[in-house]
């Protein structure tokens, strides 16, 4: 049977990209409505630019709460995806329950700390004596509903992972529409000013939360109960690891906003514009900037499943074509935006209210300078997501952090010393220009290497029919000669043996590359867990698990590795074997088998065992080599023949029982 994902390797790339990108773009644009709508209505009220300055001061503080919410939500969502792949209903609800509980606890702490340190936080993020009272009025209302805001963001990530992205989008859309309707009523009709904008926002968020809670009563792949909320730090630690990249990304936005606002307040006060105009203008500029970036991100998110599958299949022509099409689309969006910001920025600016000539002067200057290379910013962003999609989290981090943290932040601090407040504006295009050079170099290196890789699915291996009987799975330490022992066991029992054959069959069935599947558990870096959750790896894990189950249905056999003992855990005929040996024996075995030096043998054993353990942990949430997970654990240093005989005798006794 053809893999359900094979159409990603055959259908027209342009049709696929259009199909997947439009929902992503719409979803991201809807999420941007809250802040944009508030800024427009506030800017056109009697508050003017001071109101927008106040919301710009509060915005990065709320991003801190979102960083925690998204980290926990995305981590829970990634863990749910892994549980779905391994049909694990036991741990999925626990991870999600812990995520909700921890998210709520953090949100309460955030509220308490926010009220205790309110003035210090607002001054830190750029408030002046003029904007402080307005920012306080806005922040007090937003702060008390932070738990709602965090819960919505965390839960929606899980809803998407549960296979209901449309429901997640509906939740956000209901909140955004409510905000749009209530903003003019509260601000203009009721004359509540900044408080009205805040109330419109939080009421919208409350409705979004209600919708999300309703969904959690009828989920697809998990069901929450009181036991879901009991303490289990082992599972929650996995959630945190899977969500840490999201946290870092969001906190980088906080760092950028913090440094930018501090410098704007400092150097704005020394300029003719004052401290409040620059902060208000940059706030508006960043909201508009976010809309453009979200369109670009929506395009590359739509490309993710296409890129992920074809990279795993080593259909590199389609990988290049997909990225090229996404890049061209992004560049078009960036160029159109740049032309608007350069030629007629006042049209955009006046949407957020008309102010003094001084205000308009700085606003026009900001849009033209700060967003001059927005096409580069978009390209950097989609390239970072592209690298993450194809299993290169290190390159993804370099591209993302180089522009934002390594370049932009120092430039914002240094340039104003020589250029005054305009130095802050020029920091962005300089960071974009330098960042795009780094991005182009990394992309060139990647695609140059990509062109040299070829599909290795040349074998035609079949699943063999077998007699009724037990399925023997063999897990082993590196150097214990487990695969040779497995082969001997298969010969003695006269049943099929699957080791490399398994990956070859998985490749044939799924259309993925055999070599890619076989090297799943060989990745070894600090972002190992993140790598194992990328799209191509998920496709490969899914492919080999399907094949393992198909093999088991054919009858008795021996399967070596690939966490087969866990994949077949519900099979009544499974016998799970773990083969280990003392380190000295394994070192000598590796030297004998591979010709390694003693030091290289030690390093390879450590590396291989660690990678197998990490992979097994991620697939099963169990500890590799734990005696409780196996029917027989045996020391192979007694010799291959003796170990083989003991295993066969054990299997024979099991059959008789």
């Amino acid at each position: 049977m053809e893999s359900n994902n094979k159409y990603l390797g055959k259908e027209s790339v342009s049709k696929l990209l259009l199909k997947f990108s439009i929902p992503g773009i719409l979803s991201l644009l809807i999420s941007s409505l809250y802040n944009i709508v508030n800024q427009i209505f506030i800017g056109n009220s009697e508050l003017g630019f001071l109101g927008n300055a106040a919301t710009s001061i509060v915005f990065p503080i709320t991003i801190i709460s979102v960083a925690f919410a998204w980290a926990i939500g995305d981590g829970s969502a990634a863990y749910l995806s892994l549980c779905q792949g391994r049909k694990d209903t036991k741990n999925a609800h626990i991870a999600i329950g812990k995520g909700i509980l921890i998210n709520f606890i953090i949100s309460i702490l955030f509220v308490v700390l926010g009220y205790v340190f309110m003035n210090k936080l607002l001054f830190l993020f750029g408030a002046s004596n003029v904007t402080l009272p307005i920012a306080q009025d806005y922040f007090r209302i937003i702060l008390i509903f932070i738990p709602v805001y965090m819960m919505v963001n965390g839960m929606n990530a899980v809803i998407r992972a549960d296979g209901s992205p449309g429901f997640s989008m509906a939740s956000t859309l209901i909140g955004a529409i409510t905000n749009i309707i209530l903003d003019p009523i509260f601000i203009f009709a009721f004359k509540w000013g900044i408080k009205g904008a805040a109330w419109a926002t939080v009421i919208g968020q409350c409705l979004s939360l209600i919708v999300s809670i309703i969904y959690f009563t009828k989920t697809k792949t998990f069901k929450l109960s009181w036991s879901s909320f009991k303490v289990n730090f082992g599972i929650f630690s996995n959630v945190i690891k899977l969500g840490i990249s999201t946290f870092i990304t969001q906190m980088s936005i906080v760092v950028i906003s913090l440094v930018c606002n501090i410098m704007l307040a400092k150097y704005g006060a020394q300029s003719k514009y004052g401290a409040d105009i620059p902060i208000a203008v940059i706030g508006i500029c960043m909201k508009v900037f976010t809309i453009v970036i979200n369109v670009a991100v929506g395009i590359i998110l739509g490309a993710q499943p296409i890129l992920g599958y074809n990279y795993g299949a080593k259909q590199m022509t389609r990988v290049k074509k997909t990225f090229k099409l996404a890049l061209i689309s992004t560049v078009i969006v960036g160029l159109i935006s740049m032309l608007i910001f350069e030629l007629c920025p006042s049209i955009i600016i006046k949407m957020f209210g008309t102010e003094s000539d001084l205000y308009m002067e700085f606003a026009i200057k900001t849009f033209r300078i700060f967003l001059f290379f927005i096409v580069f910013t978009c390209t950097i962003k989609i390239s970072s997501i592209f690298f993450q999609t194809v299993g290169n989290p290190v390159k993804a981090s370099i591209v993302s952090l180089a522009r934002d943290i390594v370049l932009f932040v120092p430039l914002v601090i240094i340039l104003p010393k020589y250029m005054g407040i305009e130095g802050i504006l020029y920091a962005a295009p300089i960071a974009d220009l330098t960042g795009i050079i780094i991005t182009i170099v990394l992309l060139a290196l990647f695609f140059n290497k990509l062109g040299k890789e070829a599909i290795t699915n040349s074998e035609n291996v079949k699943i063999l029919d077998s007699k009724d009987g037990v399925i023997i799975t063999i897990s082993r330490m590196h150097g214990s000669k487990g695969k040779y022992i497995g082969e001997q066991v298969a010969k003695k029992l006269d049943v099929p043996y699957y080791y490399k054959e398994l990956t070859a069959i998985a490749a044939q069935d799924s259309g993925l590359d055999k070599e890619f599947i076989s090297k799943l558990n060989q990745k070894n870096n600090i972002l190992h867990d993140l790598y194992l959750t990328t799209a191509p790896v998920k496709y490969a894990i899914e492919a080999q698990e399907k094949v393992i189950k198909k093999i088991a249905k054919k009858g008795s056999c021996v399967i070596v590795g690939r966490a087969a003992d866990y994949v077949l855990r519900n099979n009544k005929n499974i016998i799970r074997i773990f083969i280990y040996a003392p380190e000295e024996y394994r070192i000598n075995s590796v030297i004998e088998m591979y010709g390694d030096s003693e030091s290289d043998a030690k390093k390879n054993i450590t590396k291989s065992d660690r990678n197998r353990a990490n992979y097994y942990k991620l697939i099963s949430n169990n500890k590799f080599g734990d005696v409780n997970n196996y029917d027989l654990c045996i020391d192979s240093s007694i010799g291959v023949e003796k170990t083989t005989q003991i295993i066969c005798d054990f299997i024979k006794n099991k059959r008789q029982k």
Side-chain angles (χ1 to χ4, degrees):
M1 184 182 295
E2 186 177 63
S3 167
N4 292 331
N5 296 314
K6 275 193 174 182
Y7 77 101
L8 293 170
K10 295 180 178 180
E11 182 63 80
S12 164
V13 168
S14 57
K15 287 183 180 178
L16 288 170
L17 188 59
L18 192 64
K19 175 183 177 181
F20 292 132
S21 291
I22 290 177
I25 293 170
L26 289 176
S27 181
L28 290 168
L29 288 179
I30 289 168
S31 67
S32 302
L33 284 177
Y34 277 107
N35 294 312
I36 290 291
V37 169
N38 277 349
Q39 298 282 130
I40 291 173
F41 284 117
I42 290 170
N44 285 282
S45 72
E46 60 184 15
L47 293 166
F49 76 89
L50 292 176
N52 277 334
T55 59
S56 298
I57 291 161
V58 173
F59 178 69
I61 304 175
T62 62
I63 290 295
I64 299 174
S65 68
V66 172
F68 284 98
W70 282 4
I72 295 169
D74 286 357
S76 299
Y79 193 84
L80 174 61
S81 295
L82 291 173
C83 290
Q84 289 168 345
R86 61 196 184 211
K87 303 298 187 291
D88 179 3
T89 57
K90 176 184 175 183
N91 292 311
H93 73 97
I94 296 174
I96 293 163
K98 298 300 170 295
I100 292 172
L101 180 62
I102 298 298
N103 203 1
F104 181 73
I105 292 171
I106 291 173
S107 70
I108 297 300
L109 289 173
F110 200 95
V111 172
V112 173
L113 294 173
Y115 270 97
V116 171
F117 300 105
M118 181 179 293
N119 287 355
K120 290 182 178 179
L121 283 169
L122 294 175
F123 276 126
L124 178 64
F125 281 89
S128 67
N129 291 329
V130 177
T131 56
L132 180 64
I134 306 173
Q136 286 174 330
D137 286 343
Y138 186 74
F139 190 43
R140 284 193 186 100
I141 298 169
I142 294 295
L143 186 59
I144 199 65
F145 286 90
I146 280 292
V148 173
Y149 188 46
M150 291 181 65
M151 296 294 283
V152 168
N153 280 281
M155 293 169 75
N156 275 352
V158 175
I159 292 172
R160 288 191 295 271
D162 194 44
S164 300
F167 204 101
S168 174
M169 186 168 69
S171 169
T172 306
L173 184 59
I174 287 169
I177 292 173
T178 301
N179 187 32
I180 292 170
I181 294 171
L182 294 181
D183 256 331
I185 296 172
F186 290 169
I187 294 173
F188 300 112
F190 291 2
K191 299 187 182 301
W192 288 357
I194 197 77
K195 292 180 181 178
W199 278 114
T201 297
V202 299
I203 290 172
Q205 291 168 357
C206 287
L207 289 178
S208 292
L209 179 61
I210 291 170
V211 173
S212 298
I213 290 172
I214 290 172
Y215 180 86
F216 270 69
T217 64
K218 53 175 184 178
T219 51
K220 294 180 180 179
T221 60
F222 68 93
K223 185 174 179 61
L224 293 178
S225 63
W226 288 113
S227 63
S228 307
F229 300 94
K230 292 180 181 178
V231 177
N232 187 321
F233 290 108
I235 289 178
F236 189 70
S237 67
N238 288 332
V239 169
I240 293 299
K241 283 192 291 184
L242 293 171
I244 194 66
S245 65
T246 300
F247 182 78
I248 293 171
T249 300
Q250 290 302 114
M251 287 307 293
S252 70
I253 297 173
V254 174
V255 172
I256 291 168
S257 299
L258 174 60
V259 174
C260 204
N261 281 5
I262 289 173
M263 302 307 288
L264 285 167
K266 178 181 177 181
Y267 288 96
Q270 299 173 12
S271 72
K272 62 181 179 180
Y273 305 109
D276 298 323
I277 286 177
I279 289 178
V281 169
I282 285 291
I284 293 169
C285 185
M286 292 304 293
K287 301 299 189 308
V288 175
F289 167 84
T290 300
I291 290 179
V292 179
I293 290 295
N294 280 348
V295 174
V297 170
I299 292 169
I300 195 65
L301 290 181
Q304 273 189 333
I306 314 166
L307 290 165
Y309 177 83
N310 286 287
Y311 183 77
K314 288 197 175 179
Q315 295 194 53
M316 300 313 177
T317 301
R318 285 180 67 83
V319 171
K320 292 177 181 177
K321 187 174 181 179
T322 303
F323 181 71
K324 181 180 178 181
L325 190 57
L327 180 61
I328 291 171
S329 303
T330 299
V331 168
I332 291 171
V333 170
L335 287 175
I336 292 172
S337 302
M338 185 187 74
L339 288 172
I340 293 172
F341 300 149
E342 292 301 312
L343 299 177
C344 46
S346 58
I347 294 176
I348 305 295
I349 296 163
K350 287 178 181 178
M351 291 174 59
F352 297 87
T354 55
E355 297 291 341
S356 64
D357 292 340
L358 204 60
Y359 172 88
M360 289 301 294
E361 177 188 325
F362 186 78
I364 290 171
K365 184 183 294 186
T366 298
F367 270 73
R368 284 178 173 164
I369 298 173
F370 199 81
L371 301 179
F372 182 72
F373 282 140
I374 192 168
V375 63
F376 291 165
T377 320
C378 293
T379 303
I380 291 168
K381 177 60 69 175
I382 71 157
S383 298
S384 175
I385 297 173
F386 166 74
F387 282 129
Q388 178 61 48
T389 301
V390 295
N392 278 270
V394 174
K395 285 188 176 71
S397 300
I398 291 172
V399 169
S400 179
L401 296 179
R403 188 270 177 194
D404 293 337
I405 302 300
V406 178
L407 295 168
F408 180 74
V409 170
L411 286 169
V412 165
I413 296 171
I414 295 168
L415 291 182
K417 293 180 180 180
Y418 305 99
M419 303 173 65
I421 195 166
E422 288 189 1
I424 299 171
L425 306 183
Y426 279 104
I430 294 173
D432 288 332
L433 184 59
T434 312
I436 197 66
I437 293 171
I438 295 170
T439 302
I440 289 171
V441 169
L442 290 177
L443 285 172
L445 291 172
F446 176 82
F447 281 110
N448 183 54
K449 182 181 178 182
L450 198 69
K452 297 176 181 178
E453 298 181 4
I455 296 177
T456 56
N457 298 343
S458 56
E459 299 175 64
N460 186 20
V461 185
K462 295 181 180 179
I463 299 176
L464 303 175
D465 289 322
S466 183
K467 57 191 176 185
D468 292 337
V470 294
I471 314 296
I472 302 102
T473 64
I474 297 199
S475 301
R476 78 282 186 215
M477 287 183 166
H478 187 55
S480 65
K481 298 187 177 180
K483 61 184 177 183
Y484 298 108
I485 292 167
E487 191 173 13
Q488 293 304 311
V489 169
K491 286 181 180 178
K492 278 185 172 289
L493 297 177
D494 191 26
V495 297
Y497 168 76
Y498 298 96
Y499 173 54
K500 289 185 176 179
E501 296 85 354
L502 191 155
T503 56
I505 297 167
Q508 289 169 186
D509 278 15
S510 66
L512 298 173
D513 177 62
K514 184 189 75 173
E515 200 67 23
F516 181 81
I517 297 175
S518 70
K519 291 182 177 179
L520 280 181
N521 63 353
Q522 295 180 21
K523 195 79 171 181
N524 182 38
N525 58 52
I526 57 173
L527 299 175
H528 179 269
D529 287 348
L530 197 57
Y531 165 76
L532 288 178
T533 63
T534 57
V537 173
K538 286 180 180 178
Y539 288 132
I541 290 173
E542 177 187 334
Q544 68 180 14
E545 288 185 352
K546 285 181 179 178
V547 167
I548 288 170
K549 290 175 181 177
K550 287 170 69 175
I551 288 171
K553 287 180 181 179
K554 289 290 186 177
S556 182
C557 62
V558 174
I559 304 174
V560 175
R562 300 292 153 179
D565 59 296
Y566 182 80
V567 175
L568 299 175
R569 63 194 178 282
N570 296 322
N571 192 308
K572 295 179 181 179
N573 295 322
I574 187 174
I575 293 181
R576 302 162 299 172
I577 311 292
F578 183 77
I579 299 175
Y580 65 96
E583 184 181 34
E584 185 178 352
Y585 175 84
R586 294 195 289 142
I587 290 171
N588 290 331
S589 295
V590 170
I591 292 171
E592 176 189 336
M593 289 186 291
Y594 304 112
D596 291 356
S597 65
E598 184 175 345
S599 61
D600 286 342
K602 286 182 179 179
K603 290 177 183 177
N604 288 333
I605 285 172
T606 301
K607 177 181 176 181
S608 182
D609 284 350
R610 180 173 58 240
N611 290 344
R612 288 176 186 176
N614 288 340
Y615 178 79
Y616 190 78
K617 174 74 173 176
L618 198 70
I619 295 297
S620 68
N621 200 44
N622 292 327
K623 184 179 179 182
F624 181 73
D626 185 342
V627 295
N628 296 312
N629 298 329
Y630 307 97
D631 299 299
L632 174 65
C633 296
I634 185 167
D635 182 349
S636 62
S637 64
I638 59 175
V640 171
E641 289 186 14
K642 286 185 178 180
T643 304
T644 301
Q645 191 58 52
I646 290 172
I647 292 173
C648 289
D649 291 342
F650 179 81
I651 293 167
K652 183 179 179 181
N653 292 332
K654 274 278 189 180
R655 281 174 171 172
Q656 292 174 349
K657 291 179 182 179

